[in-house]
Amino acid sequence: MSDKISLAIMTREMCHELYKSWENDESIYMDMSLFKPYTYKEKSVNKYFDSKQEPFRRLFAIMLGDKPIGEVQLKSIDQSKKECTLSIHMQNDNFKGKGYGTEAERLAVRYAFDELGMKAVNADTVVKNVRSQHILDKLGFEFIGKEGDFKYYRLENAE
Ligand SMILES: CC(C)(COP(=O)(O)OP(=O)(O)OC[C@H]1O[C@@H](n2cnc3c(N)ncnc32)[C@H](O)[C@@H]1OP(=O)(O)O)[C@@H](O)C(=O)NCCC(=O)NCCS
């Protein structure tokens, strides 16, 4: 991977830029009857952005230079259990398969451990999303089990 990516706390402006060229990805839908191509609406993005401003969540833009190319979230941040849940989605197919997602997940996990003081990061994927499972394996997540349409993973802080 030659181009370097970074994470930035998502701003409203970044969120609009990201979603203007957003494409939903079929791989996160177990039930394809729920899948719809994405259409940008300014009002919906404002609502989405506002809904993510919570103390138990960090919403990051995945930045390639000064351009947002995806989003990664640390959700359900639990300060007493010291764990949270990772989720990620790149903007569209132009930014997939180039190593950016793996790097963004690595950075988000480091943020959870180093900045938030988490002891563990959880993740889940729909069963068919083998690309995502492959990345979690690569980053050292442990497969916890399968329940219904989901596979559950967990990474403990080794330090
Ligand atoms: C999942 C996602 C974030 C990964 O980001 P990305 O930039 O595409 O991924 P990377 O290029 O860093 O890595 C992809 C890896 O998966 C592998 N891969 C791709 N398709 C695969 C498949 N069908 N089966 C197994 N591995 C696969 C690639 O070979 C690569 O692994 P490698 O580096 O060991 O060769 C991105 O594809 C995405 O946004 N997908 C849609 C949303 C999503 O699935 N989110 C996760 C929900 S749990």
Side-chain angles (χ1 to χ4, degrees):
M1 192 181 63
S2 53
D3 302 308
K4 205 165 154 32
I5 64 141
S6 60
L7 301 188
I9 296 287
M10 184 83 79
T11 63
R12 191 180 296 278
E13 292 67 30
M14 284 171 191
C15 201
H16 283 283
E17 193 183 340
L18 182 65
Y19 277 90
K20 276 179 185 162
S21 301
W22 189 265
E23 285 167 13
N24 286 338
D25 190 301
E26 295 185 2
S27 59
I28 63 170
Y29 294 84
M30 213 55 205
D31 177 358
M32 280 307 290
S33 70
L34 299 176
F35 176 81
K36 272 197 213 132
Y38 181 81
T39 36
Y40 171 77
K41 290 194 194 90
E42 189 179 358
K43 205 171 149 189
S44 312
V45 172
N46 279 326
K47 204 168 152 192
Y48 173 78
F49 179 78
D50 289 338
S51 75
K52 302 300 175 197
Q53 308 307 307
E54 303 165 315
F56 46 85
R57 183 193 302 269
R58 294 289 186 285
L59 174 62
F60 299 98
I62 302 167
M63 304 297 288
L64 182 62
D66 59 0
K67 187 178 155 38
I69 60 161
E71 67 172 38
V72 59
Q73 296 186 54
L74 296 170
K75 310 185 288 191
S76 309
I77 297 169
D78 186 326
Q79 292 293 357
S80 55
K81 286 192 190 160
K82 302 239 171 276
E83 58 184 65
C84 62
T85 301
L86 177 74
S87 96
I88 185 166
H89 201 301
M90 304 306 285
Q91 186 181 40
N92 58 49
D93 287 352
N94 293 333
F95 301 108
K96 292 174 198 157
K98 294 177 173 157
Y100 300 141
T102 304
E103 190 52 24
E105 290 191 35
R106 203 189 306 277
L107 292 172
V109 162
R110 283 270 47 102
Y111 186 97
F113 291 156
D114 297 347
E115 306 297 327
L116 299 179
M118 298 286 111
K119 290 197 169 128
V121 176
N122 300 304
D124 52 80
T125 83
V126 292
V127 170
K128 74 174 184 183
N129 196 349
V130 285
R131 175 175 54 189
S132 183
Q133 290 152 22
H134 172 76
I135 296 170
L136 293 171
D137 283 339
K138 245 181 20 172
L139 293 179
F141 278 74
E142 183 191 350
F143 173 59
I144 302 297
K146 176 178 170 293
E147 209 178 300
D149 289 340
F150 288 88
K151 282 185 162 186
Y152 293 89
Y153 292 80
R154 184 176 172 88
L155 179 65
E156 310 259 349
N157 189 359
E159 287 158 24

